[in-house]
Amino acid sequence: MKRLVATLLLILVAVSFGFSQTKVVVDEWKIPFLNCLTGPIAAIGEFLQWGANYAANEINAAGGIAGKPVRVIPVDTGNDPQKGSVEMARIVKDNLVAMGPVPEPVILAAMPIAVENQMMSITATTSYEYAVQFFPWTVSWFPPTLDRLPPLVAGWAKQFSDLKQVVQFIEPYGPWPGMADAHSKALTSLNIKELKAIEVPTDAVTFGPLVVRALDQKPDGIILVCNAEKAAKIIKELKSRGWTKMNHILVFSSADDAQLYSTGGADLNGVQVYNYLNLEVSNPRWDKFKAAFAKDHNGQMPFSLSPNYYDALYMIKEAIEKTGVTGDPKKLKEERKKIADYCANVKGFQGLLYEWDMKDGVPTNKPSYIFEIQNGVKQFVLEVRP
Amino acid sequence: MQVFIAQILNGLSIGSVYMLLATAFNLLLLVAMIIHFSYPQVVVFCMYIIWLVLKITNNNVFFGILAGVCSAILFNIVSAPLFQKIMKNREEVDINATMVLSMAIGWIITDVLSHAFNNGLPIQFPEEITGSKPLFRVGLISILPGQVLALSIGIIVVAGFFILLYKTKTGRAFRAIAEDPAGAKLVGIPLVKTGFQSYALSGALGGLTAVLLIMLFHSASPGLGEQVSHKVLAVSIVAGLGNLVGGLVVGLALGILEALVQGYISGNWSNAIAFVVMLVVILVKPRGLFGVKV
Amino acid sequence: MPLSLYYFLSITAVNILMSWALYVPYRVTQLHFITIANMMISGYLAGYLVLHAHVPFVWALLIGFAVGGIIGFIVSLFIGDAPTFSVVIVGFTSIYITRTLVENLPIIGGTMGMFGLPNIGGNPGTHRWIILCILYGLVILCGFLIYRFDHSSIGRAASAVFVDKELASSLGIDIKKLGMLLQTFSCTLAGGVGVLYGFIYRSFHLDFFSFALIGVFMTVLFVGGYSTQWGPLIAAPILYGLPLFFPPEVQSWRIVIYGLLLILVLELKPEGFITRKFVHSLGLSFSQKREKEIYIKEEKQ
């Protein structure tokens, strides 16, 4: 009798286990991507969209997510918080997860909606200081600024024994002043004097007065904390006023995009830049990505943020497959939480370029790099790992 | 002292931008009674046309400049009827409706440029047209060919147009058609021919302005027009609408003020201070420093 | 209520109210762009009071209205009867000054913005209903006030100033006082709306109050019709809602479509879709006056 009961119990457990095996109910995984496809950073939005679409095609070619194809749905918010909020409100109704938004004003307007509805939306291009406001319903692609940047700037400064005083050009936008503060921390730690910072107006079109003011302070080094186009123009202006030590100019990561190179051209030769994307790394996936990007963009190499939403989509894929998400609308709340929890603490995530871990939504071991620009190409100088 | 001189020269360079754009703006007002708030965007559009033609013709500067001037003329001819239709009466310019119309034109231009040209990225112009090697450099003082040309051509153009519009029969004909077409017809001024000439003239200045801005900036982006349009409008208003000489003086003065504020006080506050100064002027003299000329 | 409907309704209400804030001074031909600066000042101030000083929302909102009104009144002392251009320059100047101030004040978030404004009423659902009720209550209240203004002697005086300032002045209309009244009302309204705008998103960022907003409100005013209050009321939901239904490929060109639409309206219907004549004829067709007019016509025949 006891044996019969035990056998029946065993059968019951086996059957219920069989029923609880995850069975995907969707025909297609739809991942909305709130992106900036129009407006002042539309060019960057296009690169990000390209990365996400490329990932989707790659995933589908390899069998999709849990056997079902994935489709990235572009949702253009521009730089418009009004549009961003309405679109996010539409998305949270029945979507499992989303990507974006991209520009900070739209993040501020739209992310509270995602948080309220407990849906993860991966903001893979903004700083930790913005992303942390919306934890755990997003993850940060970058560690805290004050932890991440000082070693990079210190690494740059240590290359040059003649670097005694440095001036920063700072544009008052979003987290950039905070990043400038992080640079200052590094300079202070190396006993390098920081000269009076040069504020760059957001709508500046010529930079002569600012550059003269900077050079009048007789800096040995310059750090540029402004948008890519302005950074390139300031560099050109510096050159025209006799600045020759190009590697004593450091451009910050947010300015390392296509606009820097298209505006700066050959005048950027020798300038150093810090960022998280090493074009010189070689692995099959990354080499394929670079080749495909160059083919679709007139030979241009991917810029620093290009892989971010590629990786974001793969992270979502991994989260869905590893947590057994089914896409069942009845389990929406529960499955959204599964994805968010997984992404916040993923271990050994194989990104396009390197492997990294997340701890409570913050990456713990992503490398950063310093490069020197030569003929439009970034040449590796230094790697900095936390 | 060196720094001060360098900043003054910088100011003249910035001021040249405002002066050129304000002159083009004022000329359009004088010959066609159009207040085109988004004329800087039109000029940027011409810069893009020049870039495109330079690319196609392997940096042939002559064709590039020709394309810029022709595109500006064409734009004027196409857009002028849009403005003229909505102006309520010809004695007084309806600034509100024209402001909204030109705003709409500005949006369209900026969006088309960011969609259709170079994937929305800034464009760079070749050395053949920009001349980026300094003519003169001592310490912090640096003078580029573009700066010299922009300032000198700007002054010559203002002087030339002033003489043309106020001292010649042709200029009087342009102004007559703009202010009162019926009256102009009555006195025998050929409307179509003279109207076309006036648009061509202002278009030519627009194209020339585009070329000079290329020499000053060496690059352009879709948002460039929007970035300067508020200041150009303010310069025109503070100088006195339609006042060519006023536009020149105020444009250069604003450039110098901006350079000195950025150079000695603060970059962030330069816009606010510049606008406060202009505001004080306009409150004291509502018709502009040099008086309205329309 | 669906979330997307909430955002659509709340932002539409903001667009209506701000277009009215432009409409009122425009009755005397003044384009009063300082209202954008008022939104910013009152919004950030209220956000600071609620977040850091723990002032109840209602008081913060009332303070927002009051600050807007005070600023509007003080400025109007100087530009109450100023030409249109001066008023435009004042608007631009105030926006530049306010933006620079906000950028340089870390206490209100500086360039990062202000995050985490609390839910009014304790939970998101109640918060949304309160915001909507206040917004549409304001729409009804301001709509009533503007209607009464338009149909009063002050409104008729404003119409006279719109047509011919000098003639209006010679008829005894005090243009300065009229301008001051309208500008103060406009700025008061803008101050309150700025507070509500931030509380819709529960955050503030500089780019919520950019020059692009001027374009949005001007489009609503001019496409809808700048000669009556009904124009912005009708145009705001249509202009905001229509692009939301465009397919993605068309959406990326929505700015161009907006621009073309604006040009078309200005060319074909310069006064906008809803004009005074249209409203008057609509009113007539529903009123008993029509019968009386018909009767009088027949009598004359």
PDB file of all heavy atoms in Angstrom, chain C residues 38-53 55 60-68 71 102 108 114 117 194-195 199 204:
ATOM      1  N   ASN C  38       7.911  81.162 -17.435  1.00  0.00           N
ATOM      2  CA  ASN C  38       7.030  81.043 -16.266  1.00  0.00           C
ATOM      3  C   ASN C  38       6.778  79.583 -15.910  1.00  0.00           C
ATOM      4  O   ASN C  38       6.772  79.203 -14.730  1.00  0.00           O
ATOM      5  CB  ASN C  38       5.670  81.702 -16.532  1.00  0.00           C
ATOM      6  CG  ASN C  38       5.723  83.203 -16.421  1.00  0.00           C
ATOM      7  OD1 ASN C  38       5.392  83.921 -17.342  1.00  0.00           O
ATOM      8  ND2 ASN C  38       6.149  83.692 -15.276  1.00  0.00           N
ATOM      9  N   MET C  39       6.547  78.786 -16.937  1.00  0.00           N
ATOM     10  CA  MET C  39       6.337  77.343 -16.701  1.00  0.00           C
ATOM     11  C   MET C  39       7.531  76.765 -15.950  1.00  0.00           C
ATOM     12  O   MET C  39       7.388  76.013 -14.989  1.00  0.00           O
ATOM     13  CB  MET C  39       6.202  76.576 -18.025  1.00  0.00           C
ATOM     14  CG  MET C  39       4.902  76.721 -18.739  1.00  0.00           C
ATOM     15  SD  MET C  39       4.936  75.774 -20.296  1.00  0.00           S
ATOM     16  CE  MET C  39       4.476  74.131 -19.751  1.00  0.00           C
ATOM     17  N   MET C  40       8.723  77.133 -16.452  1.00  0.00           N
ATOM     18  CA  MET C  40       9.955  76.587 -15.879  1.00  0.00           C
ATOM     19  C   MET C  40      10.136  77.035 -14.442  1.00  0.00           C
ATOM     20  O   MET C  40      10.424  76.227 -13.554  1.00  0.00           O
ATOM     21  CB  MET C  40      11.133  77.105 -16.721  1.00  0.00           C
ATOM     22  CG  MET C  40      12.107  76.044 -17.115  1.00  0.00           C
ATOM     23  SD  MET C  40      13.625  76.651 -17.846  1.00  0.00           S
ATOM     24  CE  MET C  40      13.101  77.593 -19.229  1.00  0.00           C
ATOM     25  N   ILE C  41       9.993  78.328 -14.215  1.00  0.00           N
ATOM     26  CA  ILE C  41      10.263  78.881 -12.874  1.00  0.00           C
ATOM     27  C   ILE C  41       9.294  78.288 -11.862  1.00  0.00           C
ATOM     28  O   ILE C  41       9.695  77.754 -10.823  1.00  0.00           O
ATOM     29  CB  ILE C  41      10.158  80.415 -12.893  1.00  0.00           C
ATOM     30  CG1 ILE C  41      11.270  81.010 -13.761  1.00  0.00           C
ATOM     31  CG2 ILE C  41      10.236  80.980 -11.478  1.00  0.00           C
ATOM     32  CD1 ILE C  41      11.076  82.472 -14.080  1.00  0.00           C
ATOM     33  N   SER C  42       8.014  78.376 -12.175  1.00  0.00           N
ATOM     34  CA  SER C  42       7.011  77.871 -11.227  1.00  0.00           C
ATOM     35  C   SER C  42       7.110  76.360 -11.065  1.00  0.00           C
ATOM     36  O   SER C  42       6.957  75.832  -9.954  1.00  0.00           O
ATOM     37  CB  SER C  42       5.602  78.235 -11.699  1.00  0.00           C
ATOM     38  OG  SER C  42       5.411  79.620 -11.645  1.00  0.00           O
ATOM     39  N   GLY C  43       7.392  75.671 -12.175  1.00  0.00           N
ATOM     40  CA  GLY C  43       7.492  74.213 -12.116  1.00  0.00           C
ATOM     41  C   GLY C  43       8.625  73.762 -11.202  1.00  0.00           C
ATOM     42  O   GLY C  43       8.431  72.956 -10.288  1.00  0.00           O
ATOM     43  N   TYR C  44       9.801  74.287 -11.448  1.00  0.00           N
ATOM     44  CA  TYR C  44      10.949  73.908 -10.622  1.00  0.00           C
ATOM     45  C   TYR C  44      10.764  74.319  -9.170  1.00  0.00           C
ATOM     46  O   TYR C  44      11.135  73.584  -8.247  1.00  0.00           O
ATOM     47  CB  TYR C  44      12.235  74.524 -11.189  1.00  0.00           C
ATOM     48  CG  TYR C  44      12.941  73.635 -12.186  1.00  0.00           C
ATOM     49  CD1 TYR C  44      12.752  73.800 -13.555  1.00  0.00           C
ATOM     50  CD2 TYR C  44      13.793  72.633 -11.760  1.00  0.00           C
ATOM     51  CE1 TYR C  44      13.407  72.977 -14.472  1.00  0.00           C
ATOM     52  CE2 TYR C  44      14.455  71.810 -12.669  1.00  0.00           C
ATOM     53  CZ  TYR C  44      14.251  71.993 -14.016  1.00  0.00           C
ATOM     54  OH  TYR C  44      14.889  71.170 -14.929  1.00  0.00           O
ATOM     55  N   LEU C  45      10.199  75.502  -8.978  1.00  0.00           N
ATOM     56  CA  LEU C  45       9.988  75.967  -7.609  1.00  0.00           C
ATOM     57  C   LEU C  45       9.046  75.033  -6.868  1.00  0.00           C
ATOM     58  O   LEU C  45       9.321  74.594  -5.745  1.00  0.00           O
ATOM     59  CB  LEU C  45       9.417  77.396  -7.634  1.00  0.00           C
ATOM     60  CG  LEU C  45       9.041  78.002  -6.291  1.00  0.00           C
ATOM     61  CD1 LEU C  45      10.265  78.155  -5.402  1.00  0.00           C
ATOM     62  CD2 LEU C  45       8.363  79.359  -6.462  1.00  0.00           C
ATOM     63  N   ALA C  46       7.936  74.690  -7.529  1.00  0.00           N
ATOM     64  CA  ALA C  46       6.965  73.794  -6.894  1.00  0.00           C
ATOM     65  C   ALA C  46       7.584  72.423  -6.651  1.00  0.00           C
ATOM     66  O   ALA C  46       7.370  71.809  -5.587  1.00  0.00           O
ATOM     67  CB  ALA C  46       5.722  73.664  -7.765  1.00  0.00           C
ATOM     68  N   GLY C  47       8.350  71.944  -7.621  1.00  0.00           N
ATOM     69  CA  GLY C  47       9.009  70.655  -7.452  1.00  0.00           C
ATOM     70  C   GLY C  47       9.936  70.660  -6.249  1.00  0.00           C
ATOM     71  O   GLY C  47       9.950  69.724  -5.440  1.00  0.00           O
ATOM     72  N   TYR C  48      10.684  71.727  -6.125  1.00  0.00           N
ATOM     73  CA  TYR C  48      11.600  71.853  -4.978  1.00  0.00           C
ATOM     74  C   TYR C  48      10.819  71.880  -3.666  1.00  0.00           C
ATOM     75  O   TYR C  48      11.165  71.208  -2.686  1.00  0.00           O
ATOM     76  CB  TYR C  48      12.450  73.121  -5.122  1.00  0.00           C
ATOM     77  CG  TYR C  48      13.305  73.389  -3.920  1.00  0.00           C
ATOM     78  CD1 TYR C  48      14.497  72.704  -3.728  1.00  0.00           C
ATOM     79  CD2 TYR C  48      12.904  74.300  -2.944  1.00  0.00           C
ATOM     80  CE1 TYR C  48      15.279  72.917  -2.604  1.00  0.00           C
ATOM     81  CE2 TYR C  48      13.673  74.515  -1.819  1.00  0.00           C
ATOM     82  CZ  TYR C  48      14.855  73.826  -1.650  1.00  0.00           C
ATOM     83  OH  TYR C  48      15.619  74.035  -0.532  1.00  0.00           O
ATOM     84  N   LEU C  49       9.742  72.665  -3.648  1.00  0.00           N
ATOM     85  CA  LEU C  49       8.961  72.800  -2.411  1.00  0.00           C
ATOM     86  C   LEU C  49       8.370  71.455  -1.984  1.00  0.00           C
ATOM     87  O   LEU C  49       8.377  71.101  -0.804  1.00  0.00           O
ATOM     88  CB  LEU C  49       7.836  73.825  -2.605  1.00  0.00           C
ATOM     89  CG  LEU C  49       8.272  75.285  -2.714  1.00  0.00           C
ATOM     90  CD1 LEU C  49       7.086  76.173  -3.100  1.00  0.00           C
ATOM     91  CD2 LEU C  49       8.888  75.786  -1.415  1.00  0.00           C
ATOM     92  N   VAL C  50       7.877  70.710  -2.957  1.00  0.00           N
ATOM     93  CA  VAL C  50       7.238  69.424  -2.627  1.00  0.00           C
ATOM     94  C   VAL C  50       8.282  68.390  -2.215  1.00  0.00           C
ATOM     95  O   VAL C  50       8.122  67.663  -1.248  1.00  0.00           O
ATOM     96  CB  VAL C  50       6.407  68.922  -3.831  1.00  0.00           C
ATOM     97  CG1 VAL C  50       5.971  67.489  -3.629  1.00  0.00           C
ATOM     98  CG2 VAL C  50       5.196  69.818  -4.044  1.00  0.00           C
ATOM     99  N   LEU C  51       9.368  68.349  -2.999  1.00  0.00           N
ATOM    100  CA  LEU C  51      10.365  67.281  -2.799  1.00  0.00           C
ATOM    101  C   LEU C  51      11.247  67.525  -1.576  1.00  0.00           C
ATOM    102  O   LEU C  51      11.518  66.610  -0.803  1.00  0.00           O
ATOM    103  CB  LEU C  51      11.235  67.210  -4.046  1.00  0.00           C
ATOM    104  CG  LEU C  51      11.977  65.917  -4.352  1.00  0.00           C
ATOM    105  CD1 LEU C  51      11.030  64.743  -4.398  1.00  0.00           C
ATOM    106  CD2 LEU C  51      12.702  66.046  -5.687  1.00  0.00           C
ATOM    107  N   HIS C  52      11.681  68.763  -1.417  1.00  0.00           N
ATOM    108  CA  HIS C  52      12.681  69.035  -0.380  1.00  0.00           C
ATOM    109  C   HIS C  52      12.108  69.735   0.842  1.00  0.00           C
ATOM    110  O   HIS C  52      12.548  69.503   1.957  1.00  0.00           O
ATOM    111  CB  HIS C  52      13.835  69.867  -0.953  1.00  0.00           C
ATOM    112  CG  HIS C  52      14.560  69.170  -2.071  1.00  0.00           C
ATOM    113  ND1 HIS C  52      15.355  68.058  -1.847  1.00  0.00           N
ATOM    114  CD2 HIS C  52      14.586  69.388  -3.394  1.00  0.00           C
ATOM    115  CE1 HIS C  52      15.851  67.650  -3.004  1.00  0.00           C
ATOM    116  NE2 HIS C  52      15.398  68.431  -3.963  1.00  0.00           N
ATOM    117  N   ALA C  53      11.134  70.610   0.617  1.00  0.00           N
ATOM    118  CA  ALA C  53      10.567  71.339   1.759  1.00  0.00           C
ATOM    119  C   ALA C  53       9.283  70.690   2.264  1.00  0.00           C
ATOM    120  O   ALA C  53       8.674  71.175   3.214  1.00  0.00           O
ATOM    121  CB  ALA C  53      10.305  72.789   1.366  1.00  0.00           C
ATOM    122  N   VAL C  55       6.337  70.652   1.225  1.00  0.00           N
ATOM    123  CA  VAL C  55       5.131  71.487   1.183  1.00  0.00           C
ATOM    124  C   VAL C  55       4.049  70.673   0.468  1.00  0.00           C
ATOM    125  O   VAL C  55       4.333  70.017  -0.532  1.00  0.00           O
ATOM    126  CB  VAL C  55       5.444  72.794   0.412  1.00  0.00           C
ATOM    127  CG1 VAL C  55       4.179  73.573   0.110  1.00  0.00           C
ATOM    128  CG2 VAL C  55       6.452  73.632   1.185  1.00  0.00           C
ATOM    129  N   ALA C  60       1.932  74.184  -3.148  1.00  0.00           N
ATOM    130  CA  ALA C  60       2.978  74.386  -4.161  1.00  0.00           C
ATOM    131  C   ALA C  60       2.354  74.849  -5.474  1.00  0.00           C
ATOM    132  O   ALA C  60       2.904  75.713  -6.168  1.00  0.00           O
ATOM    133  CB  ALA C  60       3.754  73.094  -4.375  1.00  0.00           C
ATOM    134  N   LEU C  61       1.213  74.291  -5.809  1.00  0.00           N
ATOM    135  CA  LEU C  61       0.531  74.685  -7.047  1.00  0.00           C
ATOM    136  C   LEU C  61       0.081  76.144  -6.966  1.00  0.00           C
ATOM    137  O   LEU C  61       0.270  76.920  -7.902  1.00  0.00           O
ATOM    138  CB  LEU C  61      -0.675  73.765  -7.291  1.00  0.00           C
ATOM    139  CG  LEU C  61      -1.518  74.048  -8.529  1.00  0.00           C
ATOM    140  CD1 LEU C  61      -0.696  73.879  -9.794  1.00  0.00           C
ATOM    141  CD2 LEU C  61      -2.728  73.111  -8.592  1.00  0.00           C
ATOM    142  N   LEU C  62      -0.506  76.500  -5.824  1.00  0.00           N
ATOM    143  CA  LEU C  62      -0.965  77.889  -5.665  1.00  0.00           C
ATOM    144  C   LEU C  62       0.211  78.855  -5.695  1.00  0.00           C
ATOM    145  O   LEU C  62       0.123  79.933  -6.292  1.00  0.00           O
ATOM    146  CB  LEU C  62      -1.736  78.039  -4.354  1.00  0.00           C
ATOM    147  CG  LEU C  62      -3.104  77.343  -4.339  1.00  0.00           C
ATOM    148  CD1 LEU C  62      -3.723  77.355  -2.940  1.00  0.00           C
ATOM    149  CD2 LEU C  62      -4.065  78.005  -5.336  1.00  0.00           C
ATOM    150  N   ILE C  63       1.316  78.436  -5.074  1.00  0.00           N
ATOM    151  CA  ILE C  63       2.520  79.281  -5.121  1.00  0.00           C
ATOM    152  C   ILE C  63       3.006  79.413  -6.567  1.00  0.00           C
ATOM    153  O   ILE C  63       3.424  80.484  -7.005  1.00  0.00           O
ATOM    154  CB  ILE C  63       3.632  78.705  -4.205  1.00  0.00           C
ATOM    155  CG1 ILE C  63       3.228  78.881  -2.743  1.00  0.00           C
ATOM    156  CG2 ILE C  63       4.983  79.392  -4.457  1.00  0.00           C
ATOM    157  CD1 ILE C  63       4.110  78.140  -1.750  1.00  0.00           C
ATOM    158  N   GLY C  64       2.915  78.326  -7.316  1.00  0.00           N
ATOM    159  CA  GLY C  64       3.296  78.359  -8.727  1.00  0.00           C
ATOM    160  C   GLY C  64       2.486  79.370  -9.510  1.00  0.00           C
ATOM    161  O   GLY C  64       3.017  80.169 -10.290  1.00  0.00           O
ATOM    162  N   PHE C  65       1.167  79.350  -9.291  1.00  0.00           N
ATOM    163  CA  PHE C  65       0.299  80.344  -9.946  1.00  0.00           C
ATOM    164  C   PHE C  65       0.711  81.754  -9.530  1.00  0.00           C
ATOM    165  O   PHE C  65       0.829  82.657 -10.356  1.00  0.00           O
ATOM    166  CB  PHE C  65      -1.166  80.129  -9.539  1.00  0.00           C
ATOM    167  CG  PHE C  65      -1.877  79.067 -10.326  1.00  0.00           C
ATOM    168  CD1 PHE C  65      -2.332  77.911  -9.711  1.00  0.00           C
ATOM    169  CD2 PHE C  65      -2.121  79.229 -11.682  1.00  0.00           C
ATOM    170  CE1 PHE C  65      -2.999  76.930 -10.433  1.00  0.00           C
ATOM    171  CE2 PHE C  65      -2.787  78.248 -12.420  1.00  0.00           C
ATOM    172  CZ  PHE C  65      -3.228  77.093 -11.780  1.00  0.00           C
ATOM    173  N   ALA C  66       0.895  81.912  -8.216  1.00  0.00           N
ATOM    174  CA  ALA C  66       1.193  83.256  -7.682  1.00  0.00           C
ATOM    175  C   ALA C  66       2.508  83.792  -8.233  1.00  0.00           C
ATOM    176  O   ALA C  66       2.591  84.951  -8.647  1.00  0.00           O
ATOM    177  CB  ALA C  66       1.242  83.205  -6.153  1.00  0.00           C
ATOM    178  N   VAL C  67       3.524  82.943  -8.245  1.00  0.00           N
ATOM    179  CA  VAL C  67       4.843  83.380  -8.747  1.00  0.00           C
ATOM    180  C   VAL C  67       4.735  83.762 -10.220  1.00  0.00           C
ATOM    181  O   VAL C  67       5.279  84.788 -10.662  1.00  0.00           O
ATOM    182  CB  VAL C  67       5.899  82.273  -8.522  1.00  0.00           C
ATOM    183  CG1 VAL C  67       7.148  82.522  -9.335  1.00  0.00           C
ATOM    184  CG2 VAL C  67       6.234  82.158  -7.040  1.00  0.00           C
ATOM    185  N   GLY C  68       4.017  82.948 -10.980  1.00  0.00           N
ATOM    186  CA  GLY C  68       3.809  83.273 -12.396  1.00  0.00           C
ATOM    187  C   GLY C  68       3.153  84.625 -12.552  1.00  0.00           C
ATOM    188  O   GLY C  68       3.562  85.455 -13.375  1.00  0.00           O
ATOM    189  N   ILE C  71       5.545  87.564 -11.541  1.00  0.00           N
ATOM    190  CA  ILE C  71       6.532  87.821 -12.601  1.00  0.00           C
ATOM    191  C   ILE C  71       5.857  88.496 -13.787  1.00  0.00           C
ATOM    192  O   ILE C  71       6.352  89.489 -14.337  1.00  0.00           O
ATOM    193  CB  ILE C  71       7.217  86.515 -13.048  1.00  0.00           C
ATOM    194  CG1 ILE C  71       8.076  85.967 -11.919  1.00  0.00           C
ATOM    195  CG2 ILE C  71       8.058  86.727 -14.298  1.00  0.00           C
ATOM    196  CD1 ILE C  71       8.641  84.581 -12.182  1.00  0.00           C
ATOM    197  N   VAL C 102      18.705  77.625 -14.088  1.00  0.00           N
ATOM    198  CA  VAL C 102      18.404  76.237 -13.711  1.00  0.00           C
ATOM    199  C   VAL C 102      19.635  75.351 -13.879  1.00  0.00           C
ATOM    200  O   VAL C 102      19.937  74.518 -13.025  1.00  0.00           O
ATOM    201  CB  VAL C 102      17.209  75.701 -14.543  1.00  0.00           C
ATOM    202  CG1 VAL C 102      17.040  74.208 -14.349  1.00  0.00           C
ATOM    203  CG2 VAL C 102      15.924  76.413 -14.163  1.00  0.00           C
ATOM    204  N   ILE C 108      18.213  72.320  -7.425  1.00  0.00           N
ATOM    205  CA  ILE C 108      16.994  71.882  -8.108  1.00  0.00           C
ATOM    206  C   ILE C 108      17.333  70.886  -9.213  1.00  0.00           C
ATOM    207  O   ILE C 108      16.552  70.673 -10.127  1.00  0.00           O
ATOM    208  CB  ILE C 108      16.188  73.062  -8.686  1.00  0.00           C
ATOM    209  CG1 ILE C 108      17.078  73.974  -9.537  1.00  0.00           C
ATOM    210  CG2 ILE C 108      15.513  73.857  -7.598  1.00  0.00           C
ATOM    211  CD1 ILE C 108      16.282  75.015 -10.314  1.00  0.00           C
ATOM    212  N   MET C 114      15.279  67.029 -12.083  1.00  0.00           N
ATOM    213  CA  MET C 114      14.721  66.734 -10.757  1.00  0.00           C
ATOM    214  C   MET C 114      13.908  65.450 -10.860  1.00  0.00           C
ATOM    215  O   MET C 114      13.023  65.343 -11.700  1.00  0.00           O
ATOM    216  CB  MET C 114      13.825  67.909 -10.349  1.00  0.00           C
ATOM    217  CG  MET C 114      13.451  67.932  -8.883  1.00  0.00           C
ATOM    218  SD  MET C 114      12.232  69.201  -8.520  1.00  0.00           S
ATOM    219  CE  MET C 114      13.218  70.662  -8.529  1.00  0.00           C
ATOM    220  N   LEU C 117       9.448  63.022  -8.075  1.00  0.00           N
ATOM    221  CA  LEU C 117       8.379  63.774  -7.408  1.00  0.00           C
ATOM    222  C   LEU C 117       7.326  62.779  -6.920  1.00  0.00           C
ATOM    223  O   LEU C 117       7.013  61.816  -7.628  1.00  0.00           O
ATOM    224  CB  LEU C 117       7.748  64.780  -8.381  1.00  0.00           C
ATOM    225  CG  LEU C 117       8.681  65.898  -8.841  1.00  0.00           C
ATOM    226  CD1 LEU C 117       8.021  66.727  -9.916  1.00  0.00           C
ATOM    227  CD2 LEU C 117       9.070  66.789  -7.681  1.00  0.00           C
ATOM    228  N   GLY C 194       2.887  74.999 -15.613  1.00  0.00           N
ATOM    229  CA  GLY C 194       4.261  74.485 -15.497  1.00  0.00           C
ATOM    230  C   GLY C 194       4.388  73.494 -14.358  1.00  0.00           C
ATOM    231  O   GLY C 194       5.048  72.453 -14.489  1.00  0.00           O
ATOM    232  N   VAL C 195       3.742  73.811 -13.227  1.00  0.00           N
ATOM    233  CA  VAL C 195       3.769  72.891 -12.083  1.00  0.00           C
ATOM    234  C   VAL C 195       3.119  71.559 -12.472  1.00  0.00           C
ATOM    235  O   VAL C 195       3.665  70.478 -12.251  1.00  0.00           O
ATOM    236  CB  VAL C 195       3.013  73.512 -10.884  1.00  0.00           C
ATOM    237  CG1 VAL C 195       2.950  72.533  -9.733  1.00  0.00           C
ATOM    238  CG2 VAL C 195       3.684  74.801 -10.442  1.00  0.00           C
ATOM    239  N   PHE C 199       4.433  67.535 -12.837  1.00  0.00           N
ATOM    240  CA  PHE C 199       3.830  66.465 -12.033  1.00  0.00           C
ATOM    241  C   PHE C 199       3.166  65.393 -12.892  1.00  0.00           C
ATOM    242  O   PHE C 199       2.883  64.307 -12.414  1.00  0.00           O
ATOM    243  CB  PHE C 199       2.860  67.055 -11.001  1.00  0.00           C
ATOM    244  CG  PHE C 199       3.561  67.452  -9.731  1.00  0.00           C
ATOM    245  CD1 PHE C 199       4.149  68.706  -9.623  1.00  0.00           C
ATOM    246  CD2 PHE C 199       3.683  66.561  -8.677  1.00  0.00           C
ATOM    247  CE1 PHE C 199       4.832  69.067  -8.469  1.00  0.00           C
ATOM    248  CE2 PHE C 199       4.371  66.911  -7.520  1.00  0.00           C
ATOM    249  CZ  PHE C 199       4.946  68.169  -7.415  1.00  0.00           C
ATOM    250  N   PHE C 204      11.376  66.817 -13.562  1.00  0.00           N
ATOM    251  CA  PHE C 204      11.607  68.032 -14.350  1.00  0.00           C
ATOM    252  C   PHE C 204      12.948  67.926 -15.045  1.00  0.00           C
ATOM    253  O   PHE C 204      13.917  67.448 -14.457  1.00  0.00           O
ATOM    254  CB  PHE C 204      11.629  69.289 -13.453  1.00  0.00           C
ATOM    255  CG  PHE C 204      10.275  69.752 -13.014  1.00  0.00           C
ATOM    256  CD1 PHE C 204       9.790  69.415 -11.762  1.00  0.00           C
ATOM    257  CD2 PHE C 204       9.484  70.517 -13.853  1.00  0.00           C
ATOM    258  CE1 PHE C 204       8.533  69.851 -11.360  1.00  0.00           C
ATOM    259  CE2 PHE C 204       8.227  70.942 -13.453  1.00  0.00           C
ATOM    260  CZ  PHE C 204       7.754  70.604 -12.195  1.00  0.00           C
TER     261      PHE C 204
END
